[in-house]
Amino acid sequence: QVQLVESGGGLVQAGGSLRLSCVASGRIFAFNAMGWYRQVPGKERELVASITRVGSTYYADSVKGRFTVSRDNAKNAVYLQMNSLKPEDTAVYYCHAVFYDVGDYWGQGTQVTVSS
């Protein structure tokens, strides 16, 4: 069984920073790509940032210049450094991973709340 365990969410004031972590465990070989989505009630889940095993990155326009995604291949881990947070960044953030051998999985989600 594969698990993605997220940590690092919480409450922060506008302009502050948070760092999300996601570590995969279980019977996996290696990930192809890992990333972060977010969702607010009543809206579709949206891709925030992703990174491939070789380091290619993607960022949603709304977070470019403020968020940085990184990975640790040896740990099958992905991180999201979020700076200059805005109230509109408030959402549940989900880790997502695509593995070479076992397909794709989701984390349980972590709440990020940015107060104005």
Side-chain angles (χ1 to χ4, degrees), residues 1-108:
Q1 186 74 341
V2 177
Q3 282 190 317
L4 300 182
V5 179
E6 301 150 341
S7 60
L11 172 64
V12 65
Q13 288 188 332
S17 298
L18 285 174
R19 185 175 187 256
L20 304 183
S21 299
C22 173
V23 180
S25 63
R27 298 184 64 181
I28 52 179
F29 171 58
F31 72 88
N32 182 12
M34 296 184 78
W36 295 92
Y37 287 71
R38 66 186 181 189
Q39 188 171 25
V40 298
K43 292 191 176 182
E44 291 188 356
R45 193 172 294 187
E46 64 168 350
L47 177 61
V48 176
S50 65
I51 188 166
T52 67
R53 189 168 191 83
V54 297
S56 297
T57 58
Y58 164 85
Y59 295 95
D61 288 342
S62 58
V63 307
K64 283 181 181 177
R66 301 187 298 122
F67 290 12
T68 302
V69 63
S70 60
R71 90 287 189 209
D72 185 329
N73 292 347
K75 296 181 179 179
N76 281 318
V78 65
Y79 311 96
L80 186 67
Q81 178 66 43
M82 304 185 293
N83 299 328
S84 302
L85 282 161
K86 305 175 180 180
E88 51 264 43
D89 294 318
T90 296
V92 177
Y93 284 70
Y94 295 90
C95 176
H96 178 254
V98 180
F99 300 99
Y100 285 112
D101 51 343
V102 295
D104 69 308
Y105 286 81
W106 292 91
Q108 79 282 1

